[in-house]
Amino acid sequence: MTDFTVGDDCFRFDGKPVRLLSGALHYFRVHEEQWGHRLAMLAAMGLNCVETYVPWNLHEPREGEVRDVGALGRFLDAVERAGLWAIVRPGPYICAEWENGGLPVWVTGRFGRRVRTRDAAYRAVVERWFRELLPQVVRRQVSRGGPVILVQAENEYGSYGSDAVYLEWLAGLLRQCGVRVPLFTSDGPEDHMLTGGSVPGLLATANFGSGAREGFEVLRRHQPRGPLMCMEFWCGWFDHWGAEPVVRDPEQAAGALREILECGASVNIYMAHGGTNFGGWAGANRSGPLQDESFRPTVTSYDYDAPVDEYGRATEKFWLFRKVLEGYAEEQLPALPPEPAGFTAPVRVELDGWAGLGDVTEALGDPETESGVPPTFEELGVDRGLVRYRVAVPGPRQAYPLGVSGLRDRAVVYVDGVRAGVLTEESGTLPEPVAGPAEVELWVESLGRVNYGPRLGEPKGVTGGVLHERQYLHGVRARGLRLDAFEAAGAVAAVPFGPVEAAAGAGDAGRTGLFRGTFTVEGAAGVGHAGLELPGWTRGFVWVNGFCLGRYWSAGPQRTLYVPGPVLRAGANEVWVLELEDAGEPHVELGPGAPVRTGAPGVVQS
């Protein structure tokens, strides 16, 4: 029987000292048909291990509706075929710049501030989920001939709380479910984080982007013995909508990696390959003091300035990391797999069909509800997507300011069918006052739920109320339009598309809606990947052949959406564009995508 253990000074594989050279690659951010290529890239960089999170909300978006937990098992099988070990971080909370930190909205909506604590009802749903998920891990442990060598208990808990009872219970649950490989925790190398997040008897690891010697010195104060490991070596960073792109100098990052290894430590490069937040699953952050935290939604790309870029290509950082890692390899590093094929010439896709948002909601939306106050997305069961709120201003009455309190995150507002403005959390009042009587319609979108910090699990939609002067407007009708609704087989066929010219004649209503077009790809199987651009479009989502590429937004910095090659097919292909704010000219463009990174300019992360 193969045995992987945590020794006093190092990891041991069947008693032999080993150093883990790992890289993060999240199976849910990479198309399944591309797993093999991306794993081969990690091996070629000099890694012997891969790490992945597991997003609970992707697999159980609604209570009891469990979807494809076998994807984790299939990924671990691909890891084994690639000749790598695997580190699994099942949560239940994962952060990962992922929607709600991986927690389902039905969990955070129900338990609120009791999540990630010893609360009995919260622990009960976690236990039920783990008993559903963990057989995928248990039967692939190294002791059973599989690749799994380490499993994490929770995630960066010291950045959130200090409930030792909860953490010890969770570690016990993992053992009860059959996890026999070593368990670990990971936290920032700060005293309060390590005291809040560590569990007696479990290996503690540290997360940082530089300063390895100082970080490991702090870790040693809390854990005098055991292997040193940086579980998240931040070799790059992620981007937010409306902000400058963040990059990290490749030479500097390679130097920081070298310092970790010179300390005799193991490492997990976060990210080795970032991938993409397909399907609108990108999370968000809050920055600033607790009483005034600005909202910062994360972009669709999770390229992360990683050594293997979003398109699966080797960057300058890849080659520098490979040079560092080959000094610690037991044998010659494998050659790189062939670079993925891509579009070589641009393709212009004409969008010739259109349906207004109202018609789309009639065809695909949830039933409309009516209540005294606006229900939140959580109360309506909407995770990703938008909600249409309707409310009347009684009259006659004079014109007063009309606004929204507690808006999360962005609303396009119509008064008597005429566009009156776009509201945000920071700017929640229309520029012109509204007289009564009037009918007000608000199309509200969640731009991603907070994935880190004390605002984790905050509700979305209109969380306060619609105000006319200082008076709340009651009697609100609400209807959700979930992104999931577009994924059901044949669902979009029920949308009453008309010619795209009808949008131009529909006034303000024609500035939004679902646009449709087709394009042809010549050739046989093996169509390459592409980058999709929407010049002149404002904000919304794109699907290619029913696969949701994610959100686009003219706020930048991201301008191109990644289209995986397996999504495309030889012959006819279909594109849907759901524009929520202001449509551009009725076409989109497919092309080769972004060039390979060589240290592009941007905000430097160290």
Side-chain angles (χ1 to χ4, degrees), residues 347-365:
V347 174
R348 178 177 167 123
V349 183
E350 301 294 339
L351 303 175
D352 54 12
W354 170 77
L357 269 184
D359 289 336
V360 175
T361 303
E362 287 297 318
L364 302 178

Side-chain angles (χ1 to χ4, degrees), residues 353-361 386 388 411-414 417 419 421-422 441 443 481 497 499-500 502-504 506-516 537-540 552 577-584:
W354 170 77
L357 269 184
D359 289 336
V360 175
T361 303
L386 60 155
R388 181 187 65 193
V412 181
V413 184
Y414 300 83
R419 176 84 70 93
V422 177
E441 187 173 274
W443 292 88
L481 179 61
F497 285 99
V500 73
D508 284 338
R511 297 163 68 180
T512 62
L514 186 63
F515 295 77
R516 180 177 65 179
W537 294 72
T538 305
R539 176 176 56 92
Y552 66 89
V577 179
L578 182 69
E579 172 60 52
L580 305 177
E581 202 159 320
D582 215 346

Side-chain angles (χ1 to χ4, degrees), residues 22-31 34-42 49-53 75 79 84 87 268-275 308:
S22 180
L25 188 163
H26 301 153
Y27 67 94
F28 47 92
R29 283 181 159 129
V30 178
H31 193 285
Q34 297 173 322
W35 288 346
H37 175 270
R38 303 306 193 258
L39 290 166
M41 289 293 290
L42 267 59
C49 186
V50 64
E51 171 266 311
T52 188
Y53 281 124
F75 177 72
V79 170
L84 300 170
I87 299 170
N268 179 52
I269 297 170
Y270 193 100
M271 298 290 295
H273 170 61
V308 180

Side-chain angles (χ1 to χ4, degrees), residues 63-103:
E63 186 171 14
E65 188 180 309
V66 178
R67 301 179 179 178
D68 196 19
V69 292
L72 173 61
R74 296 194 302 275
F75 177 72
L76 294 174
D77 292 342
V79 170
E80 184 177 14
R81 289 193 296 272
L84 300 170
W85 290 319
I87 299 170
V88 180
R89 304 168 81 183
Y93 163 82
I94 63 170
C95 183
E97 291 71 61
W98 189 257
E99 164 88 1
N100 220 30
L103 295 172

Side-chain angles (χ1 to χ4, degrees), residues 91 98 147 151 176 206 214 220 317 347 384 410 445 450 508 534:
W98 189 257
V151 172
Q176 290 174 27
E214 295 81 358
R220 275 288 179 243
K317 193 175 290 182
V347 174
R384 295 157 299 121
R410 193 172 178 92
E445 187 205 351
V450 171
D508 284 338
L534 301 100

